[in-house]
Amino acid sequence: MTDCLFCKIAKGEIPSEIVYEDEKVVVFKDINPQAPVHLLLIPREHIPSADDINEENSYLIGHIFLVAKRLAEEEKLDQGYRIVNNCKDHGGQTVDHIHFHLLAGRQLLWPPG
Ligand code: 5GP
Ligand code: ZN
Protein backbone atom coordinates (compact mmCIF):
# COMPACT_ATOMS: atom_id res chain seq x y z
CA MET A 1 0.00 0.00 0.00
CA THR A 2 1.56 3.31 -1.05
CA ASP A 3 0.16 5.61 1.63
CA CYS A 4 0.82 3.45 4.69
CA LEU A 5 3.27 4.57 7.37
CA PHE A 6 4.44 1.06 8.27
CA CYS A 7 4.78 0.00 4.60
CA LYS A 8 7.05 3.03 4.19
CA ILE A 9 9.05 2.06 7.29
CA ALA A 10 9.36 -1.52 5.97
CA LYS A 11 10.70 -0.18 2.65
CA GLY A 12 13.12 2.20 4.39
CA GLU A 13 11.32 5.24 2.96
CA ILE A 14 10.73 6.58 6.47
CA PRO A 15 13.57 6.20 9.00
CA SER A 16 13.17 3.99 12.05
CA GLU A 17 15.39 2.12 14.44
CA ILE A 18 15.22 -1.32 12.86
CA VAL A 19 16.45 -4.10 15.14
CA TYR A 20 15.68 -7.09 12.90
CA GLU A 21 14.48 -7.76 9.36
CA ASP A 22 14.12 -10.65 6.98
CA GLU A 23 12.18 -11.27 3.78
CA LYS A 24 8.86 -11.52 5.65
CA VAL A 25 9.02 -9.21 8.69
CA VAL A 26 10.56 -6.01 10.01
CA VAL A 27 11.04 -5.17 13.69
CA PHE A 28 11.71 -1.62 14.85
CA LYS A 29 11.61 0.44 18.03
CA ASP A 30 8.35 2.18 18.88
CA ILE A 31 8.72 5.96 18.60
CA ASN A 32 6.80 6.43 21.89
CA PRO A 33 7.98 3.56 24.11
CA GLN A 34 5.68 2.38 26.91
CA ALA A 35 8.29 0.14 28.53
CA PRO A 36 12.11 -0.11 28.58
CA VAL A 37 11.77 -2.53 25.65
CA HIS A 38 9.04 -1.62 23.16
CA LEU A 39 9.38 -3.11 19.69
CA LEU A 40 6.90 -3.26 16.82
CA LEU A 41 6.85 -6.39 14.68
CA ILE A 42 5.21 -6.08 11.27
CA PRO A 43 4.89 -8.19 8.16
CA ARG A 44 6.26 -6.57 5.00
CA GLU A 45 2.94 -7.45 3.39
CA HIS A 46 0.23 -4.86 4.00
CA ILE A 47 -2.36 -6.59 6.17
CA PRO A 48 -4.62 -3.86 7.64
CA SER A 49 -5.54 -5.53 10.94
CA ALA A 50 -5.88 -8.86 12.78
CA ASP A 51 -9.36 -8.95 11.29
CA ASP A 52 -7.72 -9.44 7.88
CA ILE A 53 -5.72 -12.57 8.75
CA ASN A 54 -6.69 -15.43 6.45
CA GLU A 55 -5.54 -18.88 5.29
CA GLU A 56 -3.09 -17.33 2.81
CA ASN A 57 -1.32 -14.86 5.11
CA SER A 58 -1.56 -16.51 8.55
CA TYR A 59 1.91 -18.08 8.18
CA LEU A 60 3.28 -14.54 8.58
CA ILE A 61 1.74 -14.27 12.04
CA GLY A 62 3.37 -17.51 13.17
CA HIS A 63 6.68 -16.22 11.84
CA ILE A 64 6.26 -12.94 13.74
CA PHE A 65 5.78 -14.85 17.01
CA LEU A 66 8.85 -16.97 16.28
CA VAL A 67 10.91 -13.82 15.65
CA ALA A 68 9.52 -12.26 18.87
CA LYS A 69 10.61 -15.30 20.86
CA ARG A 70 14.10 -15.25 19.35
CA LEU A 71 14.49 -11.51 20.04
CA ALA A 72 13.35 -12.06 23.63
CA GLU A 73 16.05 -14.71 23.99
CA GLU A 74 18.69 -12.41 22.51
CA GLU A 75 17.61 -9.51 24.73
CA LYS A 76 17.62 -11.88 27.74
CA LEU A 77 14.03 -11.07 28.69
CA ASP A 78 14.09 -13.94 31.17
CA GLN A 79 11.47 -12.32 33.41
CA GLY A 80 8.96 -12.30 30.60
CA TYR A 81 7.36 -10.00 28.13
CA ARG A 82 4.02 -9.14 26.55
CA ILE A 83 2.97 -9.33 22.91
CA VAL A 84 0.00 -7.08 22.11
CA ASN A 85 -2.11 -6.58 19.02
CA ASN A 86 -4.64 -3.75 18.97
CA CYS A 87 -7.35 -4.46 16.40
CA LYS A 88 -9.48 -1.68 14.89
CA ASP A 89 -11.17 1.17 16.78
CA HIS A 90 -12.25 -0.48 20.02
CA GLY A 91 -8.95 -2.34 20.19
CA GLY A 92 -7.11 0.97 20.10
CA GLN A 93 -5.41 0.47 16.73
CA THR A 94 -3.97 3.74 15.39
CA VAL A 95 -1.88 2.50 12.44
CA ASP A 96 -3.78 0.40 9.91
CA HIS A 97 -0.98 -2.05 9.10
CA ILE A 98 -1.07 -5.06 11.41
CA HIS A 99 1.61 -4.87 14.09
CA PHE A 100 2.49 -6.62 17.31
CA HIS A 101 3.94 -4.73 20.26
CA LEU A 102 6.69 -6.54 22.19
CA LEU A 103 6.83 -4.94 25.63
CA ALA A 104 9.27 -5.83 28.39
CA GLY A 105 11.66 -4.56 31.03
CA ARG A 106 9.12 -3.70 33.73
CA GLN A 107 6.13 -5.29 35.46
CA LEU A 108 3.21 -4.82 33.10
CA LEU A 109 -0.29 -4.36 34.50
CA TRP A 110 -3.41 -6.36 33.76
CA PRO A 111 -6.15 -5.78 32.78
CA PRO A 112 -5.46 -2.94 30.32
CA GLY A 113 -7.73 0.11 30.38
P1 5GP B 1 -1.35 0.97 17.82
O1 5GP B 1 -1.87 2.07 18.69
O2 5GP B 1 -1.88 1.09 16.40
O3 5GP B 1 -1.49 -0.40 18.36
O4 5GP B 1 0.23 1.19 17.75
C1 5GP B 1 0.85 2.06 16.88
C2 5GP B 1 2.22 2.33 17.46
O5 5GP B 1 3.03 2.90 16.44
C3 5GP B 1 2.22 3.30 18.64
O6 5GP B 1 2.76 2.66 19.78
C4 5GP B 1 3.08 4.45 18.14
O7 5GP B 1 3.91 4.99 19.14
C5 5GP B 1 3.89 3.83 17.03
N1 5GP B 1 4.26 4.75 15.97
C6 5GP B 1 3.44 5.63 15.34
N2 5GP B 1 4.11 6.30 14.39
C7 5GP B 1 5.39 5.81 14.42
C8 5GP B 1 6.56 6.10 13.65
O8 5GP B 1 6.58 6.95 12.75
N3 5GP B 1 7.69 5.41 13.95
C9 5GP B 1 7.71 4.46 14.94
N4 5GP B 1 8.87 3.85 15.17
N5 5GP B 1 6.62 4.16 15.67
C10 5GP B 1 5.48 4.82 15.41
ZN1 ZN C 1 1.06 -1.03 5.15
Side-chain angles (χ1 to χ4, degrees):
M1 210 202 188
T2 50
D3 198 28
C4 168
L5 174 64
F6 284 178
C7 280
K8 287 179 179 164
I9 285 179
K11 287 183 201 148
E13 293 171 5
I14 289 178
S16 68
E17 284 191 69
I18 293 177
V19 300
Y20 173 86
E21 59 184 323
D22 63 28
E23 72 283 3
K24 296 193 276 291
V25 313
V26 180
V27 184
F28 53 97
K29 293 187 181 179
D30 196 293
I31 205 167
N32 183 22
Q34 301 301 312
V37 176
H38 189 170
L39 303 177
L40 296 173
L41 298 95
I42 65 169
R44 289 188 185 276
E45 180 179 328
H46 181 82
I47 301 170
S49 79
D51 214 28
D52 300 292
I53 297 169
N54 57 38
E55 292 286 346
E56 282 70 44
N57 63 26
S58 61
Y59 72 99
L60 293 169
I61 310 306
H63 184 64
I64 281 173
F65 274 74
L66 187 57
V67 167
K69 183 217 139 155
R70 287 182 186 148
L71 289 173
E73 267 170 19
E74 280 174 27
E75 295 290 323
K76 301 193 176 14
L77 304 179
D78 303 334
Q79 295 186 83
Y81 52 92
R82 182 174 294 169
I83 297 172
V84 175
N85 169 257
N86 298 325
C87 179
K88 299 167 77 175
D89 282 354
H90 277 189
Q93 184 174 3
T94 59
V95 179
D96 291 336
H97 179 129
I98 193 171
H99 50 279
F100 294 84
H101 300 255
L102 174 59
L103 298 148
R106 68 170 172 84
Q107 180 63 57
L108 297 164
L109 305 177
W110 191 262

